[in-house]
Amino acid sequence: MARTPSNMLPLKTKAPDFLLIDTITDSVLGLNDLKGDKGTVIMFICNHCPFVIHVNKALVAVANDYKKNGIGFIAISSNDVDNYPQDSPENMKIHAEREGYPFPYLYDESQEVAKSYNAACTPDLYLFNNELKLIYRGQLDGSRPGNGIPATGEDLRHALDCLLNNKANNRQQKPSIGCNIKWKIN
C-alpha cells in the first residue's frame, strides 16, 4: 500500500464550486445543492483503497450522526477508471449501496475537482463552515489498516463539534494518509 499524505489546503480557502454526476441517483449535483446549513464535509474517497475500506463504517457513522445537525456530506471519487475499473461510476453505485452511504457519491471524471481542492489521497477530508470557508482538513482519525487503533472519526468529530459549538479548534490538524489519487496519464 502506498502511503500518500494529504496536501493540507490552507485554512480559510473558499470551497471550489463543482457540478458532478451522483452515481447513486444519476443526477448532476453541485456544491450549492449539497452544502449543509451549518457546514459541509467533502471527502475524496474511492472503492478499492484499503485506507478507505478501513474507515467506511466510521465515515457512514459520522455522517449519520451529524447530518441532523445541519452538516452536509459529499463523497467524490476522482480516480482514473480506465486503469482502475473497480472505481467506475457503475461500481461506485454498487459500493455506495453496499456500504449504506447516507451521502451522494460523485464522480469527478475530468479530475478537475480533485485538482481544485489540491486533493492527494483517499481518504482526503475537508470541513467547510456555513460560508464555505475551510476550517478543517486532514485525517478522519489516527486509525490506519493494521495499526490497531479503532476507526471512530475522532479528529473530524472534534472539528465538527467545534464548528457546531462555535468554538475554536486548537488541536493540531494532521494530514490524512491513504492511497494516492489515481491520476490520468496524458
Side-chain angles (χ1 to χ4, degrees):
M1 283 185 293
R3 297 176 70 86
T4 301
S6 39
N7 287 324
M8 302 300 279
L9 191 66
L11 294 174
K12 299 184 182 173
T13 298
K14 178 91 169 165
D17 202 5
F18 55 79
L19 282 173
L20 296 171
I21 186 85
D22 176 21
T23 61
I24 298 168
T25 63
D26 294 322
S27 309
V28 175
L29 299 171
L31 178 58
N32 287 319
D33 302 314
L34 300 170
K35 68 182 181 179
D37 291 337
K38 295 184 180 172
T40 305
V41 175
I42 297 178
M43 309 170 281
F44 287 87
I45 64 172
C46 70
N47 298 346
H48 84 277
C49 171
F51 292 89
V52 176
I53 292 167
H54 178 73
V55 299
N56 264 325
K57 285 183 178 39
L59 291 174
V60 169
V62 171
N64 283 330
D65 289 347
Y66 286 88
K67 279 176 58 173
K68 61 186 173 247
N69 295 318
I71 304 296
F73 287 81
I74 305 165
I76 301 171
S77 179
S78 300
N79 278 355
D80 172 11
V81 300
D82 290 335
N83 290 306
Y84 297 87
Q86 62 269 48
D87 291 330
S88 71
E90 300 79 21
N91 287 327
M92 288 171 63
K93 181 175 184 160
I94 293 166
H95 181 80
E97 289 170 352
R98 183 177 57 239
E99 294 295 330
Y101 284 175
F103 39 75
Y105 193 14
L106 309 180
Y107 176 48
D108 177 21
E109 181 176 14
S110 72
Q111 300 185 316
E112 290 304 312
V113 177
K115 290 174 185 172
S116 71
Y117 280 80
N118 203 19
C121 62
T122 55
D124 215 344
L125 308 175
Y126 303 84
L127 171 60
F128 296 89
N129 65 16
N130 63 346
E131 296 175 348
L132 293 175
K133 298 235 170 130
L134 185 65
I135 59 170
Y136 178 81
R137 74 283 194 248
Q139 68 179 12
L140 180 67
D141 56 36
S143 185
R144 306 287 184 268
N147 76 356
I149 298 172
T152 62
E154 176 188 353
D155 290 48
L156 181 59
R157 286 177 183 276
H158 177 76
L160 286 161
D161 290 341
C162 287
L163 171 65
L164 292 171
N165 293 305
N166 202 25
K167 292 184 178 179
N169 181 358
N170 295 320
R171 280 193 190 171
Q172 178 186 0
Q173 296 187 19
K174 298 176 184 173
S176 185
I177 301 286
C179 298
N180 63 300
I181 290 179
K182 307 309 183 209
W183 301 107
K184 295 177 182 180
I185 300 169
N186 295 337

